[in-house]
Amino acid sequence: MNKIKEKVQVKFSIEAIGEQEEFIRWPTNCEEKESNIIKYIEAIEHEGKETTIEISSCIQSLTLTSINNVKYFVEKLQARFPEKNIIHSKQPVSARDIASAMHSVNEYLEFCKKLYTERIYKHIELSQKYSKKETKKQVLYYLDFAKLQNIDFAKTFPVYWKYHKKYVE
């Protein structure tokens, strides 16, 4: 008779690190969030259970250039807790969100091609079809949200701002 192994899966959602995470997941305190994740991982007892700890990141227009910082955070967790199965999963929110980050900027597309898997890059290529009007609406939304949080959007997301400020100038 086969034994049924218990499986436990714990998921944490982190889109970025530092100020970028605090903007995206407002009113998150990133240091507190990271500390709580570490405490939770330390507390997980997985004796006799197959346990996976997943750090999940939604790839969207503001996270494209910060996703590697999350990857490094996960690698630090893996090094600190080698006995625990800690993975990093990355999922696009939608092709539209990714496309809005890249609207017809070939240099940016090349930058992303070096960072992401072929599957994710295919979503990014859809940027060539995304409308400027929609991109402008998104940039204005982010600027309004930054005002609400009293932060300097251009400083917090310098790469995004470099390629998108033209939509609101």
Side-chain angles (χ1 to χ4, degrees):
M1 195 161 218
N2 291 336
K3 280 189 173 181
I4 297 175
K5 235 184 193 184
E6 278 190 68
K7 291 184 180 188
V8 176
Q9 185 169 14
V10 179
K11 285 188 175 191
F12 299 100
S13 179
I14 301 179
E15 274 52 71
I17 299 295
E19 289 179 331
Q20 292 182 349
E21 174 74 357
E22 290 175 356
F23 177 84
I24 294 165
R25 295 284 186 171
W26 184 65
T28 294
N29 176 308
C30 195
E31 283 183 24
E32 186 178 309
K33 184 175 187 174
E34 289 176 21
S35 174
N36 287 339
I37 288 170
I38 289 167
K39 287 176 190 172
Y40 196 85
I41 291 171
E42 287 173 337
I44 292 173
E45 292 295 328
H46 65 279
E47 238 175 81
K49 298 176 183 162
E50 188 178 313
T51 304
T52 301
I53 301 156
E54 180 180 347
I55 308 294
S56 179
S57 300
C58 291
I59 299 172
Q60 46 107 333
S61 58
L62 294 179
T63 64
L64 285 168
T65 58
S66 61
I67 202 78
N68 280 341
N69 294 333
V70 179
K71 177 185 153 201
Y72 301 137
F73 174 69
V74 172
E75 288 171 354
K76 282 193 230 175
L77 291 175
Q78 290 166 333
R80 184 170 176 176
F81 303 103
E83 74 286 0
K84 309 227 178 178
N85 183 26
I86 303 172
I87 61 169
H88 184 209
S89 67
K90 300 171 283 288
Q91 297 296 321
V93 175
S94 71
R96 178 183 161 163
D97 286 330
I98 290 176
S100 72
M102 309 293 192
H103 184 68
S104 47
V105 180
N106 290 329
E107 177 186 358
Y108 203 20
L109 289 174
E110 286 305 311
F111 170 78
C112 291
K113 195 171 196 172
K114 295 173 190 170
L115 292 179
Y116 304 108
T117 65
E118 185 65 25
R119 184 173 80 83
I120 292 172
Y121 183 74
K122 290 290 180 198
H123 288 281
I124 293 168
E125 283 185 311
L126 291 174
S127 66
Q128 302 305 319
K129 298 175 184 169
Y130 196 76
S131 81
K132 290 180 183 179
K133 181 180 175 186
E134 291 299 313
T135 300
K136 181 178 180 175
K137 284 196 301 192
Q138 182 186 51
V139 174
L140 290 171
Y141 167 78
Y142 289 150
L143 291 174
D144 286 345
F145 198 49
K147 281 181 193 171
L148 177 68
Q149 296 182 42
N150 198 28
I151 68 158
D152 182 342
F153 183 80
K155 181 180 169 208
T156 305
F157 295 95
V159 176
Y160 181 92
W161 185 246
K162 176 183 175 183
Y163 293 100
H164 293 83
K165 64 183 173 186
K166 65 185 176 190
Y167 295 101
V168 293
E169 290 180 329

